[in-house]
Amino acid sequence: MIKFLFRFSVLILTAFILLTIYLSYYGLETNKFDNLIKNKANEVNKSIKLDFNKTKIHLNVKEFNLVVRLQKPKILIINNKIDLSKLDLFLPLKSFFTSDFMLERVEVAFVKNDIKDLTKFSSAFLPKFINNRLDRIFVKGELEGEFIIPFKLDGSIDKNYGFSGKISNAKIN
């Protein structure tokens, strides 16, 4: 009987380790959350639409959270498209056991886009007079980079967000 329990325990432990490795590297592809994510993102600002093909869920063992990766994400702002290379949503695992599903942080990376897309994006958030100044400052060029946006427990954006990026072939007034 002890031999059977030992083999059964080893089998369960091996299965758990293999499942953890599989979820960490390959993830689980699903489309069950697609409409929910699109609807919630589009509720924030009516002039901004989030579009993507599919969703993959990965397990991040280091930080003990789930990473929801949106495949081929795009942001449509007032009929202008901004291509993104990455849009990852980080959800803590402990939120699945409690009633609150809170985002821990969001990482958004974008490929080379026209620098004028910055003013298209900022028109949804900034007052018109500031956006007009930005439009006059940036004449041409390409912009690529990554945003890291952490969230507080109440759902608001935390103050220690970050941006790293590169501007190339730019002409700035």
Side-chain angles (χ1 to χ4, degrees), residues 7 9 26 30-31 52 59 90 109 114 127 135 137 150 164-166:
R7 285 184 182 171
S9 300
Y26 300 109
T30 182
N31 59 1
F52 54 92
L59 179 65
F90 290 81
D114 186 12
D135 195 32
I137 291 171
S164 61
K166 181 172 94 172

Side-chain angles (χ1 to χ4, degrees), residues 1-125:
M1 182 71 170
I2 294 175
K3 198 177 206 183
F4 172 75
L5 286 176
F6 178 73
R7 285 184 182 171
F8 184 72
S9 300
V10 169
L11 181 68
I12 295 293
L13 183 63
T14 305
F16 179 73
I17 290 171
L18 289 175
L19 181 66
T20 302
I21 291 171
Y22 180 80
L23 287 176
S24 296
Y25 287 106
Y26 300 109
L28 180 67
E29 189 172 307
T30 182
N31 59 1
K32 295 188 188 281
F33 302 113
D34 292 358
N35 288 331
L36 176 69
I37 293 171
K38 286 179 184 179
N39 291 338
K40 289 294 183 185
N42 296 339
E43 281 179 7
V44 174
N45 194 325
K46 299 296 181 195
S47 61
I48 296 176
K49 301 290 182 209
L50 178 65
D51 190 27
F52 54 92
N53 287 348
K54 46 188 157 174
T55 307
K56 279 188 113 172
I57 300 174
H58 291 263
L59 179 65
N60 187 347
V61 181
K62 292 178 186 174
E63 298 178 14
F64 203 61
N65 58 16
L66 287 179
V67 181
V68 179
R69 291 195 171 132
L70 307 180
Q71 305 295 311
K72 297 183 182 175
K74 291 178 243 168
I75 296 177
L76 304 168
I77 304 168
I78 313 168
N79 299 327
N80 297 309
K81 180 178 79 168
I82 297 177
D83 292 322
L84 302 174
S85 60
K86 171 176 96 168
L87 183 56
D88 294 346
L89 311 170
F90 290 81
L91 301 166
L93 281 178
K94 66 179 178 180
S95 69
F96 286 97
F97 301 113
T98 61
S99 62
D100 56 333
F101 277 85
M102 293 300 297
L103 275 175
E104 194 172 272
R105 74 176 184 273
V106 174
E107 292 182 2
V108 180
F110 48 94
V111 294
K112 285 188 179 180
N113 285 293
D114 186 12
I115 203 163
K116 288 290 194 178
D117 290 340
L118 176 68
T119 58
K120 295 172 191 172
F121 185 71
S122 65
S123 67
F125 299 106

Side-chain angles (χ1 to χ4, degrees), residues 151-167:
F151 289 93
K152 294 180 183 177
L153 292 176
D154 65 354
S156 62
I157 296 176
D158 203 357
K159 292 181 180 177
N160 58 348
Y161 54 88
F163 173 75
S164 61
K166 181 172 94 172
I167 298 174

